Amino acid sequence: MENKKLPVWIAVCCYLLFWFWNLTYAVLAGVLIIPHFTMPAITGAFIGLHSGFTALFATLLVAIPALCIGLGFTRFRKNPTALIKLFYGVEMPIIFIMLSTMFLLRELNPGVTHVLINILIALFAYLACLWGGLHTRFPMWLRLSLAMTMLLTGLYCALLLAPFFIPATAGFFELLGEIKLSHLGDIFNYLLFLVALICGLSTCVVFLALPFVLIFLYIREFLREWRIADASLGRAKAGAITAGILGLNAVLFAVLNQQPQQETFERMAFLDQQFRPGETIPSIPREEHDALRKGLINAYLAPYRYLSTTERNSAVYDAYLGAFDDADHALAKVSQAVFDFLATPFLYDGAYFHEDKERAARYYQKFFDQPIEKGEPEAILNALKATFDQGSPAAGLVDVLNRHVLITNMAITVEPQDDSARIRIVQTLENQTYNNHEVTFHFSLPEEAALTGLWLSDDATDLDKFVYAVAPRGAAQQVYNDEVSRRIDPSLLEQVGPRQYRLRAFPVPPRRAEYNRSMGLRLGTDYELKPMYLTVEYKTTLDDQGAWPLPQLLEKRNAYWSDRTQRTLNGQPIRTEEDAWLPTTAPMSAVVLRKQHDAVVAGQRVRAVPRTGADAQWNIQASTTPYAILIDGSYSMGEQTENVAAALKQLQQLDIAHEIYLCHTRCQPIKTLPAAEEFYGDSLPMNQLADWRRNAMQDYEAVMLLTDAGSYEQESQVSFKATQMPPVWLVHLGGALAYAYRDQTLDLLKQSHGGVTQSLPEAIITHQFRHGRAEDGLFAITPHYLWYMDENTSAEAEKNSVQSGEDFFSAIAARRWLEYLAQTRDTSDVQVLDQLHAIAKAEHMVTDYSSMIVLVEERQKKALEEAEQKADRFDREVETGQEAFSAPMDMFSASPVPEPEEWLLLGLAGLMLAFAALHRRRQFTLQPASL
C-alpha cells in the first residue's frame, strides 16, 4: 500500500485524533461499558435473556477499540497515515454499526441484514488492504469484487448520512454555544463526567466527518484496485465483474426489502366484516397460511425491526426545520427524498406502528384461533432479546419459552397411610437474572386428589416459614395481582378446571451484583443468588398401577430445569425424562389393597366404597335417546382431523343414537367427515354450545364437544343456565387437556353433571355409569370409588372421626362432597358460595371457589380481609397473559423528533446521569423484596 510522508502538523493531528479518542473511550469502557453493559449482555445471552447477537455486539463494542489500540502501539505505531485509515476506515464504522444495531435497529430484518453484510465485507476488504497488502494474495477477480463492494458500501453510507450533515453541523455548533464554562465547576469534581463529556463531543465530531472520510478512503482504494484489474484482466472483464456486483446488490436490495404485511392485511380484511347466515365467507388455502403469519408477525414486531414508517418518516426535513427554522427550500425536500429511498431497509411499509400492531394481533386471533403472543412466542422473544426490554415481571404468554428461573431441586416426600398418602413437593427456585420474575405452573391431578397446603420460604431450614390462607377465589386473585404490581412477595394456588390447577409465585429474588470500591471507582463484582422455596401438599389415593400419582405439568412460564436440577423421593435421588417436570408416579414401598373409607365432612357422613366386580368395568349400553356430537370448527382443530376421524369411527361402532354437528358461528348437521379446510376462525366452545342450544329441536342424552386444548385466554363470556342443557362433556383430542377454563365454563360442566375427558368412549362410559347407577345415597362416582352419603350421621361417628387422628382420605372425601354440593346448590347465590367456602376453609383445601394464598406482611393480610368482605369476592378475572411491552419509539416520525443539538445533549445527559447514579449508590443491584 502506498504511504507518502505527511507534513508534521498533519501527522501530529492524526496521532492526536486516534489516541485522544481511543484512550478516553478506553477509560469510559473500563468504568461504565464493560461492567454495566457488556458483562450483563454476555451473561444474559447465556441464560437466554438476550440474543447471541446482542452479546456479540456488546463485546465488539469494547474489543474493537482495544484491538485498534493494540495495532496502534505495534504495527502502525510509526505510520500516522495507516492510523487514521484504521480509525476512519475500520474502527469508527464498526463502532457506528454496533451502536446502531443495539440501540436503533434491534432485530435485523432481511434488508438491513443485506446492508450490514455488505458493510462487514467492505470493512474486511479495507482492513486486508491496510494490513500490508494482505489482499494481494487473493485472486484478481475477488480483489476487484471486494473493492466494488467497498465502493458501493461507501457510497451508500455517505449518501444515507450526508442529508443530515448540514443540520447536524449547525446543531453541533449550537450545542457548543449552550455549554457554559460556569457549569463546569461541578464537572471537575467528577473526573468521569469530564471524560464522558469530552468523549461525547469528540465522537460527535468524528461521526459528522465519517461519511465524507469513509467515501474518500473507499473510492481511493477502489480506483487503485480498478487500475490493477484493468491491466491484469482487461477492461471488459473488469467491467463485467463490477457490473455483476452492482447488479447482484441491486437485485438483493429490491427483493429483500419486499414487506408482506400490506398484502396480508388486504387478504384478511374480510375478518372485519359481518356475514349473515348463508353468506359465503372467503377462504384462504392452508398452504398460504405461513405467508399470512409472516405478514402479521412483521406488522406486530415492526417497532423492533424498523426505525420508522414510510408515511411518517420526515427525519431530514425536520432536521432542517430544527436547525434553520425553515424547511421549505428545495434542498430539504430533495434530501428527504434521497434519504427515503436509501433508507428503505430501515422503514416499515405503513403509516403507524401502533395501529398496525393492533390490527395484526386482531387478525391473528380471529384467523388462527389464539392470541399472537401464544402462537408466536419464539418470534416475539427473539425481538425482545434484541433489546434490553425485560418485559413485565408477571409471567405472560410469551414466557412459556423464557428461561429466567432455574429449578435447582425438587424434593418429593410421600407419607403413606393405607391406600392414601400425603405428598409434599418442595421446589427450590433460583432467579438467573437481575430482575424480579414470576413463575407459573399449570398442572393436573387425578379426581381422587385434594390440594391441602402451600408454603413459601427463603430459609432452607424453615420451609413452612410463610403459611397459606384459604380465601374466596376472587379476593385471593385480587390481592395477589395487587401485590405483584407492587413487587411484593405472594404466592397463589387455584383450581382452574375439574382436574387442573394454577400455581404462581412472585417474586423469585433476582441476582445481586455488589461492586467493590477502590479509589472512587467500581472494580470487580461479587454475585449473590438467593433461592426461593415453594412447597405444595396434596392428598391422593392409589392409581390403577398401585402407585402414587404425581402432578403432571400442562404449562410453565419463566421456569426451567436442566442437568443441574436434582430430584429426590423421600431423600433418595430419582431420574425422570429429560423434558419432564416430575415423574408420572411415585412407586409404593409395599402392595396395598383399596379399602372402604368413612369420613365426616361438615357434619355429613361420607362413605367411599371401592369399585369392584361389575362396578370396576362398565360397557357402553345401547341408547335410543340421541347424543349430540359437536365438532369444534375453529382453526386449531384443523390439526386434529385424524383424531376427529378416529373418534367418529369409534362412535359408528357403538349402538347409540347420535347426531353430528360442525360448529362455527352456527352449528350445522353433517353426514361426512369435515376436511381440514372446513376448520377456520376463532369460534369459541361456549358460543358453539349456546348456538346449538338455541336451535336444538329435541331432547338429547348428552352433548359432547370434540375440541382441542383450546385457548383459555380468549374463551367467550357467554353464559347460560345448566338447567337448559343436557350434561355437557368437553372431549379434548390430541392428548392435551386445556390448562385452564373460565369460571362460566366450570359452572356449566359441574351443574350440568358433565365433565372433561380425552376420548369420546371415555366420556360416554363415564356419563352412562353415573346415570346408570342411580341408587339411594350414591352422590358421586370416581374412577376407583362409589361415594355414598349417610343421612343419619351420628354425633358418636363424628366424635370418633376427630379422635382417630388425621385421616388423609378425609380430605379427598371433603373434595367430593364439596363437588356434590356445588352441583346441587345455586352457586349464583353468594351465600351458598360462602357456605361452600367455609367448608373448604375448615378442611384446608383448594376448590373451584376457594384458593390458597401466601402473604408475608400484615398489610397484605389486612388487604385480604378487606377483599373477603366485598360482594365480588368470588368473581375471578381471566388471566389473559398478554403483556404490554414497551415498544421502541418511532425514530423518524414527524412528532416528536428532537432537534440535532437535542440528540447530542440527550446522549451526553444519558452518560452523565449514568455516572451520577453510580456515584450515589455503593451497590448496583435490584434489591429483592424481603420474604
Side-chain angles (χ1 to χ4, degrees):
M1 190 170 185
E2 300 176 5
N3 286 312
K4 298 180 180 179
K5 187 173 180 64
L6 297 175
V8 174
W9 69 273
I10 296 180
V12 170
C13 289
C14 291
Y15 280 123
L16 284 176
L17 178 60
F18 180 88
W19 288 113
F20 176 78
W21 190 91
N22 276 286
L23 292 179
T24 53
Y25 185 86
V27 173
L28 208 58
V31 299
L32 179 65
I33 299 176
I34 293 177
H36 303 300
F37 183 69
T38 304
M39 293 308 297
I42 294 173
T43 56
F46 274 109
I47 63 175
L49 192 59
H50 303 304
S51 68
F53 281 112
T54 301
L56 175 63
F57 292 159
T59 303
L60 291 177
L61 199 58
V62 175
I64 293 300
L67 178 62
C68 290
I69 289 174
L71 291 174
F73 272 120
T74 55
R75 190 176 186 87
F76 304 134
R77 182 165 54 91
K78 297 181 179 181
N79 191 341
T81 302
L83 273 183
I84 205 65
K85 288 180 177 180
L86 176 68
F87 182 69
Y88 264 116
V90 179
E91 183 180 11
M92 282 298 99
I94 292 180
I95 295 295
F96 185 78
I97 292 171
M98 298 301 107
L99 292 174
S100 300
T101 302
M102 298 183 68
F103 298 109
L104 296 179
L105 303 179
R106 301 113 182 175
E107 187 181 29
L108 302 182
N109 63 61
V112 172
T113 301
H114 171 230
V115 172
L116 289 181
I117 289 175
N118 268 340
I119 292 175
L120 293 176
I121 292 174
L123 292 174
F124 165 78
Y126 192 76
L127 184 61
C129 296
L130 198 61
W131 196 276
L134 178 64
H135 66 297
T136 58
R137 303 179 186 179
F138 301 153
M140 194 64 238
W141 66 267
L142 179 58
R143 289 176 57 179
L144 184 58
S145 298
L146 293 175
M148 184 61 183
T149 303
M150 277 195 292
L151 175 65
L152 293 177
T153 300
L155 286 172
Y156 179 82
C157 293
L159 292 175
L160 184 68
L161 300 177
F164 292 98
F165 177 76
I166 295 176
T169 302
F172 177 74
F173 284 108
E174 186 175 341
L175 169 65
L176 292 179
E178 292 179 4
I179 298 178
K180 308 297 184 182
L181 293 179
S182 59
H183 294 166
L184 297 180
D186 292 335
I187 293 178
F188 284 108
N189 294 330
Y190 301 92
L191 179 61
L192 294 181
F193 279 112
L194 183 60
V195 172
L197 176 63
I198 295 173
C199 185
L201 290 174
S202 62
T203 301
C204 292
V205 175
V206 168
F207 281 163
L208 284 174
L210 180 60
F212 304 99
V213 178
L214 188 68
I215 191 60
F216 170 78
L217 295 176
Y218 283 7
I219 288 179
R220 188 166 178 266
E221 190 60 36
F222 170 76
L223 293 176
R224 179 174 173 275
E225 291 297 317
W226 170 260
R227 288 193 295 268
I228 297 173
D230 187 18
S232 175
L233 300 176
R235 179 157 301 184
K237 189 176 290 187
I241 292 174
T242 55
I245 297 297
L246 176 62
L248 175 63
N249 278 280
V251 171
L252 290 176
F253 188 88
V255 172
L256 295 179
N257 288 302
Q258 296 292 323
Q259 299 178 27
Q261 65 274 359
Q262 295 304 326
E263 181 182 356
T264 299
F265 285 156
E266 185 177 344
R267 297 190 67 187
M268 303 182 76
F270 69 90
L271 295 173
D272 288 331
Q273 301 176 22
Q274 296 292 331
F275 293 92
R276 298 171 183 167
E279 287 187 320
T280 301
I281 299 177
S283 62
I284 302 175
R286 280 191 170 251
E287 57 268 20
E288 299 179 17
H289 291 182
D290 286 343
L292 298 180
R293 278 194 172 91
K294 289 179 181 178
L296 295 177
I297 292 171
N298 199 56
Y300 188 82
L301 297 178
Y304 298 92
R305 297 179 174 182
Y306 303 94
L307 297 183
S308 185
T309 66
T310 55
E311 296 187 26
R312 286 176 56 80
N313 169 38
S314 56
V316 177
Y317 192 86
D318 291 334
Y320 275 91
L321 184 63
F324 304 109
D325 295 326
D326 179 15
D328 289 334
H329 48 78
L331 180 59
K333 296 178 180 179
V334 171
S335 299
Q336 181 67 60
V338 171
F339 180 78
D340 287 346
F341 174 73
L342 294 175
T344 299
F346 308 93
L347 300 177
Y348 171 76
D349 182 13
Y352 295 92
F353 283 147
H354 181 69
E355 290 182 2
D356 279 9
K357 179 180 179 180
E358 289 188 343
R359 188 179 183 188
R362 184 174 71 254
Y363 281 1
Y364 193 100
Q365 181 162 316
K366 283 188 174 183
F367 192 86
F368 292 111
D369 191 28
Q370 60 183 336
I372 192 170
E373 296 95 333
K374 189 174 184 179
E376 308 295 339
E378 186 172 0
I380 295 172
L381 281 179
N382 286 339
L384 291 177
K385 288 177 182 179
T387 72
F388 283 86
D389 180 4
Q390 304 306 313
S392 167
L397 291 175
V398 301
D399 292 312
V400 294
L401 297 181
N402 264 330
R403 295 164 61 88
H404 290 153
V405 177
L406 174 64
I407 307 173
T408 59
N409 188 278
M410 299 188 74
I412 307 168
T413 304
V414 178
E415 183 182 350
Q417 186 185 77
D418 298 325
D419 59 346
S420 59
R422 174 168 58 196
I423 299 179
R424 272 199 175 199
I425 300 174
V426 181
Q427 296 187 87
T428 303
L429 307 174
E430 291 185 358
N431 192 337
Q432 304 300 300
T433 76
Y434 299 93
N435 300 285
N436 290 321
H437 287 292
E438 177 191 43
V439 291
T440 299
F441 302 93
H442 287 95
F443 62 92
S444 64
L445 282 172
E447 288 184 72
E448 296 165 348
L451 279 163
T452 55
L454 176 67
W455 295 267
L456 201 62
S457 179
D458 59 352
D459 185 354
T461 63
D462 184 11
L463 297 178
D464 297 351
K465 184 174 182 179
F466 300 109
V467 185
Y468 64 87
V470 179
R473 64 187 183 188
Q477 183 195 50
Q478 176 193 329
V479 172
Y480 177 86
N481 287 336
D482 287 346
E483 295 308 305
V484 167
S485 66
R486 293 190 180 99
R487 301 175 182 249
I488 308 295
D489 315 77
S491 183
L492 181 65
L493 181 57
E494 307 169 274
Q495 184 172 352
V496 290
R499 308 199 301 264
Q500 295 98 317
Y501 300 87
R502 178 168 59 210
L503 173 61
R504 305 165 65 190
F506 177 88
V508 182
R511 288 187 176 197
R512 293 195 308 172
E514 298 181 353
Y515 286 77
N516 301 320
R517 293 179 61 86
S518 176
M519 299 177 63
L521 302 178
R522 277 74 171 170
L523 302 175
T525 57
D526 295 326
Y527 296 99
E528 180 182 348
L529 203 156
K530 191 174 184 181
M532 170 191 281
Y533 303 94
L534 184 61
T535 304
V536 173
E537 177 189 282
Y538 67 99
K539 314 286 176 53
T540 187
T541 64
L542 295 169
D543 66 4
D544 292 330
Q545 285 72 43
W548 306 117
L550 295 177
Q552 296 304 298
L553 189 67
L554 300 175
E555 188 205 54
K556 62 175 176 59
R557 298 178 184 176
N558 276 334
Y560 73 103
W561 52 88
S562 68
D563 53 7
R564 289 176 51 195
T565 303
Q566 298 180 347
R567 297 175 176 84
T568 60
L569 175 60
N570 291 336
Q572 299 300 314
I574 58 173
R575 288 190 173 187
T576 186
E577 298 293 333
E578 184 177 347
D579 60 347
W581 182 44
L582 287 168
T584 305
T585 59
M588 284 279 293
S589 57
V591 178
V592 175
L593 299 177
R594 298 186 192 279
K595 68 174 188 177
Q596 178 176 314
H597 291 269
D598 292 279
V600 176
V601 182
Q604 174 65 54
R605 188 179 185 85
V606 175
R607 185 171 76 256
V609 179
R611 290 174 57 176
T612 58
D615 290 334
Q617 183 67 38
W618 182 270
N619 295 319
I620 295 179
Q621 307 297 310
S623 173
T624 56
T625 305
Y627 286 74
I629 310 299
L630 276 56
I631 301 175
D632 178 1
S634 58
Y635 177 86
S636 59
M637 280 293 290
E639 299 178 3
Q640 302 295 335
T641 51
E642 292 184 2
N643 292 323
V644 171
L648 296 183
K649 184 177 181 180
Q650 292 173 328
L651 182 65
Q652 299 299 330
Q653 297 171 354
L654 303 176
D655 187 17
I656 61 172
H658 61 272
E659 295 178 1
I660 303 175
Y661 297 84
L662 180 62
C663 297
H664 294 103
T665 54
R666 294 181 63 85
C667 291
Q668 301 289 343
I670 60 172
K671 298 295 184 183
T672 59
L673 179 68
E677 288 73 19
E678 296 183 64
F679 296 97
Y680 60 85
D682 64 342
S683 55
L684 306 175
M686 288 294 283
N687 289 349
Q688 295 168 4
L689 289 168
D691 179 75
W692 176 84
R693 179 182 59 84
R694 282 193 299 268
N695 297 285
M697 303 300 294
Q698 59 176 314
D699 293 333
Y700 290 86
E701 179 68 23
V703 54
M704 300 191 171
L705 176 60
L706 306 185
T707 185
D708 55 5
S711 186
Y712 153 80
E713 295 79 15
Q714 64 172 4
E715 195 171 337
S716 171
Q717 293 283 7
V718 172
S719 61
F720 41 85
K721 293 184 178 180
T723 55
Q724 300 172 334
M725 294 286 288
V728 176
W729 289 84
L730 297 183
V731 180
H732 293 287
L733 304 178
L737 285 173
Y739 59 72
Y741 302 97
R742 293 202 178 192
D743 292 335
Q744 295 92 331
T745 305
L746 281 177
D747 291 342
L748 175 64
L749 295 175
K750 191 189 309 297
Q751 295 180 6
S752 70
H753 299 275
V756 299
T757 68
Q758 291 178 272
S759 75
L760 184 57
E762 179 188 356
I764 296 173
I765 289 173
T766 307
H767 168 75
Q768 289 191 350
F769 189 67
R770 286 182 180 178
H771 290 75
R773 282 299 307 263
E775 57 183 272
D776 291 343
L778 181 65
F779 70 88
I781 299 172
T782 55
H784 304 110
Y785 292 94
L786 303 176
W787 297 84
Y788 296 88
M789 55 182 167
D790 187 349
E791 299 291 347
N792 300 315
T793 302
S794 65
E796 186 65 26
E798 189 167 356
K799 178 180 178 182
N800 292 338
S801 175
V802 173
Q803 291 178 346
S804 62
E806 183 180 7
D807 179 6
F808 294 168
F809 199 89
S810 64
I812 303 167
R815 183 190 171 194
R816 293 268 55 85
W817 181 245
L818 282 169
E819 289 280 334
Y820 169 72
L821 293 179
Q823 288 178 337
T824 56
R825 304 285 179 87
D826 181 10
T827 53
S828 63
D829 186 343
V830 175
Q831 292 183 349
V832 171
L833 294 181
D834 282 335
Q835 295 170 5
L836 299 180
H837 173 65
I839 299 174
K841 193 170 184 178
E843 298 290 341
H844 301 275
M845 65 191 313
V846 174
T847 70
D848 291 352
Y849 304 102
S850 303
S851 302
M852 283 183 177
I853 184 169
V854 176
L855 302 173
V856 301
E857 296 179 355
E858 289 302 320
R859 178 192 57 77
Q860 296 174 324
K861 296 174 182 178
K862 184 177 180 181
L864 179 62
E865 291 176 1
E866 294 174 355
E868 288 179 316
Q869 303 304 316
K870 294 182 179 179
D872 62 351
R873 54 188 173 273
F874 290 100
D875 296 341
R876 183 164 50 184
E877 295 180 354
V878 175
E879 302 285 353
T880 64
Q882 297 179 356
E883 300 180 57
F885 301 110
S886 56
M889 66 179 291
D890 185 339
M891 300 299 296
F892 298 153
S893 64
S895 177
V897 175
E899 297 181 359
E901 67 273 11
E902 291 175 328
W903 282 112
L904 302 175
L905 283 171
L906 286 173
L908 294 175
L911 290 172
M912 293 180 180
L913 287 174
F915 284 119
L918 291 175
H919 179 77
R920 292 175 182 173
R921 297 179 64 187
R922 292 180 179 271
Q923 292 182 336
F924 175 77
T925 177
L926 287 171
Q927 294 286 356
S930 302
L931 286 173

